[in-house]
Amino acid sequence: MEMSYIIVPLVDCNENAFNQEVSKLFPLSNIVNVVCHQKQFLIVYRDIDTMINGINRVDEIYEYDNMIERFSRNHPYLDIAVIQVLGEDKNRFYDGFIMKNKKKVKEHSGMHNAYYPIFQYFIPDFDGSDLEIFSKDFIKISDYGRENENHTR
């Protein structure tokens, strides 16, 4: 399994502020709003394996990094987290960074809970308890929501 996540913190009633723009920049991605430790985040994620095997749109995969930088450039005031997840269940590798105005301000990678430092940038006391975006159940439910709710949930 290879998944890619873009995490954007949201503030006060702007849960749909970026949906239209993100839908255009990342057309093969799911978009969901998630609350973690009373903070709201816009999560944009895609299953890279499915894209390569099922849809065969490799060109869009390569364009993905450019679109992340473009989104960051369009919103220079935002701290944007990007996390790549490789592997299954207990053997997962996380590679992540925080980007602000096209510059990486924090990077961290490793096995198991290596995404914690990325989320601790937004939530200093983050311990993983309120976040299930990396679980298979979350992905299945959100994929179902994507099919039934026109790419947002």
Side-chain angles (χ1 to χ4, degrees), residues 3-96:
M3 299 292 293
S4 178
Y5 297 84
I6 302 168
I7 298 124
V8 180
L10 300 173
V11 293
D12 298 331
C13 301
N14 73 345
E15 67 182 36
N16 297 317
F18 304 110
N19 287 9
Q20 186 174 16
E21 178 182 5
V22 174
S23 293
K24 288 179 183 177
L25 289 173
F26 309 104
L28 300 174
S29 298
N30 291 314
I31 302 168
V32 295
N33 289 309
V34 172
V35 175
C36 180
H37 289 263
Q38 289 90 36
K39 293 194 179 202
Q40 190 170 13
F41 296 91
L42 175 72
I43 310 286
V44 180
Y45 72 95
R46 58 173 50 181
D47 181 348
I48 303 298
D49 292 337
T50 300
M51 289 179 68
I52 292 172
N53 297 328
I55 301 171
N56 201 17
R57 309 258 315 249
V58 177
D59 56 328
E60 289 193 31
I61 294 169
Y62 291 124
E63 189 64 17
Y64 185 71
D65 290 338
N66 292 333
M67 293 297 105
I68 292 170
E69 287 184 6
R70 182 175 172 187
F71 183 73
S72 180
R73 184 179 61 242
N74 291 345
H75 306 283
Y77 53 90
L78 279 179
D79 292 308
I80 302 165
V82 178
I83 300 176
Q84 305 289 337
V85 181
L86 301 167
E88 297 288 334
D89 300 322
K90 295 180 183 182
N91 292 321
R92 287 191 180 153
F93 180 80
Y94 299 90
D95 184 21

